Amino acid sequence: MGNAAGVLRGAGLHPWSAEADAQGIFGLVAAAILAPSPHNTQPWRFTTGPDWLNVYADDARVMGTVDPERRERTIALGAAIENVVVAAPAKALTVAVTLLPDGPDADLVARIEVRPAHVELTPLAEAIPNRHTNRGPFRAEAVAPELLAEIGAAGDLAAAVRWIVEPGARSALGELLVDAAQAIADDDAMSRDGYSWFRPSGAAIEAHRDGLTVDGQGLAAPVRVAAKLVPALASRSMADAAWVKQTRTVHTRTAAAYGAVLVADPTSRLDQLTGGRLAQRVHLTATTVDLALQHMNQITERIDRDRVAGRPAGTAARLAQILGPDAPHLLCLFRVGWPARPGKASPRRAAHQVVAHDG
Ligand SMILES: Cc1cc2nc3c(=O)[nH]c(=O)nc-3n(C[C@H](O)[C@H](O)[C@H](O)COP(=O)(O)O)c2cc1C
């Protein structure tokens, strides 16, 4: 089976076509693993019983200095939980989620009770295997404010999306994103920790079934082929330079709007999970109308890095000028727009590789 990006190749891409047919509690895991995660770290593991599913953080799958307080890892776990909630009715199940049943410091991030229900197919559930991060150019076309409002609706979740559309604020945020990307490239530890999740070859992708790939960078086809053939592009400095350039010339230049996920306390595990659920709901809703989305978190990564290293909060001060009183509530950021090209599927470890049966 193909997807919006074309024919799927390689075992690492199989989970995208396998999800729709996976049923029962295993089917919920098959949906969860299609969630986005920082650098495609897939920081999850699951245990299942006859009528329950537990979601755990995987302590081996972290990004070091890029995510020193594991904010992004927890956001990804929230996105995986949202996929379970959205997928359940399509798999004739109903779920009751308890977040952090053992407290904020435990690896167990959600306990999910599962019961049979009538099957209900929804556009959001259908979007799960069609959702991809899109790092390519977006068309020079605005996104209607009513559509942004619909896509950003938080429903029952205690988090909110603020849209940054006004050209002045958009370009100030774009400049800060470029500068933060450059600062990360110039920071040896962050550069190394980020690059450790880059998979430069088909063999590396199939061996790991995770991480960032050339195919996922949204490059035009001839550039993509060249990037795979020229080994120099597989070096850390080349990859960093290419990322900063793409951020300046494509990601920020063609963003129609930025979405800022705001929560009461971005350092709270509960708020991180809730904000991650909302970010994923936004991405799935955007997918139903073919609107493209790319998470962009270099600003918060720099702010977290400065705070942990006890350095002056230059990035935080610039963010405060743009977002005003919302700045301390920023959990994560993304751009949206109408895509010039569809996003491509990224590799995944299979559901059976991350689940253990327990009772
Ligand atoms: C919390 C979080 C942070 C992310 N940060 C970025 C980012 O700063 N830049 C980016 O291009 N992608 C970012 N991503 C997207 C991931 O790299 C992407 O989800 C992953 O590579 C898997 O690809 P997929 O979303 O197409 O399935 C982020 C995703 C999550 C969940």
Side-chain angles (χ1 to χ4, degrees):
M1 191 179 124
N3 72 353
V7 178
L8 299 184
R9 285 188 305 272
L13 297 179
H14 183 250
W16 293 98
S17 53
E19 186 271 335
D21 294 330
Q23 293 302 316
I25 294 179
F26 183 77
L28 298 179
V29 177
I33 61 159
L34 298 183
S37 58
H39 285 46
N40 199 15
T41 44
Q42 305 170 37
W44 40 65
R45 43 189 194 86
F46 306 86
T47 58
T48 62
D51 57 1
W52 55 266
L53 165 66
N54 281 350
V55 184
Y56 295 87
D58 184 340
D59 270 334
R61 310 186 72 84
V62 291
M63 301 196 300
T65 53
V66 179
D67 188 23
E69 296 178 329
R70 301 190 180 182
R71 155 212 301 254
E72 293 187 25
R73 182 182 73 168
T74 315
I75 295 169
L77 292 164
I81 292 164
E82 186 62 12
N83 269 13
V84 170
V85 171
V86 168
K91 297 183 189 294
L93 297 170
T94 179
V95 293
V97 178
T98 306
L99 297 177
L100 301 170
D102 294 346
D105 299 326
D107 285 344
L108 177 64
V109 292
R111 166 108 185 154
I112 303 178
E113 306 292 337
V114 186
R115 303 259 179 277
H118 290 298
V119 68
E120 192 191 338
L121 303 175
T122 65
L124 279 199
E126 253 172 56
I128 288 174
N130 294 324
R131 180 214 60 82
H132 304 299
T133 295
N134 193 322
R135 299 189 182 86
F138 298 165
R139 302 198 304 267
E141 213 178 298
V143 182
E146 306 77 40
L147 183 58
L148 290 179
E150 189 186 323
I151 285 170
D156 54 335
L157 298 173
V161 176
R162 170 170 163 190
W163 293 106
I164 293 107
V165 186
E166 188 269 313
R170 213 166 7 121
S171 81
L173 202 50
E175 271 175 41
L176 187 53
L177 283 162
V178 174
D179 291 348
Q182 186 65 60
I184 289 171
D186 293 342
D187 181 321
D188 200 54
M190 290 185 90
S191 167
R192 281 178 198 284
D193 287 345
Y195 190 69
S196 69
W197 288 97
F198 187 63
R199 307 289 176 237
S201 68
I205 294 167
E206 287 308 310
H208 294 280
R209 299 175 66 149
D210 61 16
L212 298 177
T213 67
V214 172
D215 273 345
Q217 300 315 305
L219 306 172
V223 183
R224 206 166 66 235
V225 171
K228 286 180 191 171
L229 292 177
V230 181
L233 285 188
S235 81
R236 179 164 62 89
S237 61
M238 293 292 285
D240 280 344
W243 173 53
V244 174
K245 183 175 171 208
Q246 288 292 108
T247 304
R248 189 175 51 246
T249 61
V250 176
H251 305 164
T252 56
R253 191 162 293 168
T254 71
Y258 295 100
V261 176
L262 306 176
V263 293
D265 177 6
T267 68
S268 138
R269 291 284 178 232
L270 188 61
D271 284 3
Q272 290 166 356
L273 290 171
T274 305
R277 289 189 61 186
L278 178 56
Q280 180 65 354
R281 205 179 278 183
V282 170
H283 203 167
L284 292 175
T285 311
T287 302
T288 65
V289 293
D290 292 330
L291 186 70
L293 186 150
Q294 178 191 7
H295 285 272
M296 298 186 77
N297 286 292
Q298 52 263 50
I299 294 174
T300 38
E301 286 167 1
R302 274 316 282 182
I303 291 173
D304 286 353
R305 173 90 167 127
D306 285 344
R307 187 172 52 240
V308 168
R311 275 199 297 257
T315 307
R318 281 176 67 187
L319 183 69
Q321 281 173 359
I322 301 165
L323 293 186
D326 284 339
H329 300 287
L330 175 65
L331 179 70
C332 57
L333 188 77
F334 54 84
R335 69 173 182 131
V336 295
W338 299 110
R341 298 186 283 276
K344 281 183 164 288
S346 59
R348 286 295 187 283
R349 293 172 301 152
H352 68 81
Q353 292 180 277
V354 294
V355 73
H357 301 280
D358 191 8

